[in-house]
Amino acid sequence: MYETNAQLLNNVISNVESDMLALNNISNYVIFNTIIQENLIYLIDNKNSKKQAVAKRNVYEALYTYMFSNSYIKSISLVTDDTIITLGNSFTSDKIDLEQINQKPIDDAGRVSWSSGASANYSMLCTREIRQLKFLKLRKLAILYIDVDMDQIISDALIDAGYTPDLVEFIVCQGNEQIYPNETSP
């Protein structure tokens, strides 16, 4: 019975890891998208231009494909120093510590990092710094936030393994830090 249970839990963990890897890959596609790169560069270099709306529209159109490529994505946001471009659910900057979460992807120099929101059981955020690839300048263009429905990822993985999601408590850690849920139930 213990072996069967351990194998089922390994299947759950594999499914969750697989879904998180798929979201990581989507973040790679966003970062390397030339349309997004070029338009973010334009937005930063031409702050007073009348063509800013066109550049933002181009970014929205480029993000559209990624937004609907995975059913666990609730929203995709790009946050620059002076603008937020969001596709999907509105960017809930009031529910997260934006300053703290922004620092992690900057410290990670473009590598993916996972964060939780300010309240318990809030969905997870896949965050990355987008750096300028053109001429390998590597200057910061924006921070990418992919708002992920972690509850649904875990629920689907548990159901696939034959568990009842309401009866199982699942915790996700990044290193020594618990990132999901933000708080454990008593």
Side-chain angles (χ1 to χ4, degrees), residues 12-26 70 72 114 148 150 152-154 156-157 160:
V12 170
I13 292 167
S14 293
N15 286 347
V16 170
E17 286 177 342
S18 175
D19 289 332
M20 291 176 77
L21 181 59
L23 292 159
N24 183 19
N25 289 337
I26 290 169
N70 186 300
Y72 298 121
W114 293 87
V148 177
M150 197 62 179
Q152 195 60 51
I153 289 174
I154 292 171
D156 289 350
D160 287 348

Side-chain angles (χ1 to χ4, degrees), residues 65-103:
T65 303
Y66 306 117
M67 176 65 203
F68 299 103
S69 65
N70 186 300
S71 62
Y72 298 121
I73 296 176
K74 294 165 69 174
S75 70
I76 297 177
S77 302
L78 298 176
V79 178
T80 67
D81 291 336
D82 57 352
T83 191
I84 296 175
I85 298 171
T86 299
L87 193 60
N89 295 345
S90 62
F91 185 64
T92 53
S93 59
D94 59 326
K95 292 186 179 179
I96 59 173
D97 184 352
L98 194 59
E99 197 171 300
Q100 177 186 352
I101 291 178
N102 271 350
Q103 193 57 47

Side-chain angles (χ1 to χ4, degrees), residues 130-162:
I130 299 178
R131 293 182 169 208
Q132 181 177 339
L133 299 175
K134 188 174 186 178
F135 306 121
L136 292 175
K137 285 191 174 183
L138 300 179
R139 74 174 167 160
K140 178 186 149 206
L141 298 177
I143 304 292
L144 167 66
Y145 292 90
I146 301 177
D147 188 357
V148 177
D149 190 349
M150 197 62 179
D151 284 336
Q152 195 60 51
I153 289 174
I154 292 171
S155 178
D156 289 350
L158 289 168
I159 289 169
D160 287 348

